[in-house]
Amino acid sequence: MKLFLIATALLLAGCTAGGATAAGVKFDDEGLADVACMKHQPAPPSANYTNEDGGPTDEVLPVLRYYTAHGKKAFCDGAGPSAADKAWAAVYVDLGADKANVAKLLG
């Protein structure tokens, strides 16, 4: 029974992921590159990332990976976090990740 539920969840996630990305803003993970500094996010997260169920896995995993690897780095332009950057950092924490990785972004 567990296997059936897991398979069903994966199938549903796969079916909804494409539509959800097309419907809203997508997180810019800088192409998974190992960056020396961060770029600002161009827009705040859409409902795909802020809904109660945490959003589609293929969309939230890049947020988790990026801020875990780079969240303590400065922005390339030397400026502080924008409102959009702060909103994305809040998504990272809301997903259960370590707030220490984005503390500078949250202020």
Side-chain angles (χ1 to χ4, degrees), residues 16-26 45-51 53-56 59-60:
T16 60
T21 301
V25 174
K26 188 171 181 182
S46 64
N48 297 337
Y49 296 91
T50 58
N51 61 27
D53 69 1
E59 292 186 30
V60 297

Side-chain angles (χ1 to χ4, degrees), residues 5-87:
L5 292 174
I6 292 170
T8 302
L10 290 173
L11 178 63
L12 290 174
C15 291
T16 60
T21 301
V25 174
K26 188 171 181 182
F27 182 76
D28 180 4
D29 65 1
E30 299 192 54
L32 301 175
D34 185 19
V35 298
C37 54
M38 294 188 294
K39 288 196 274 184
H40 295 280
Q41 291 299 315
S46 64
N48 297 337
Y49 296 91
T50 58
N51 61 27
E52 287 185 23
D53 69 1
T57 303
D58 64 333
E59 292 186 30
V60 297
L61 285 178
V63 177
L64 294 170
R65 189 211 63 81
Y66 183 84
Y67 285 129
T68 298
H70 308 297
K72 294 180 181 179
K73 295 178 180 176
F75 287 100
C76 298
D77 66 1
S82 66
D85 297 320
K86 290 178 181 183

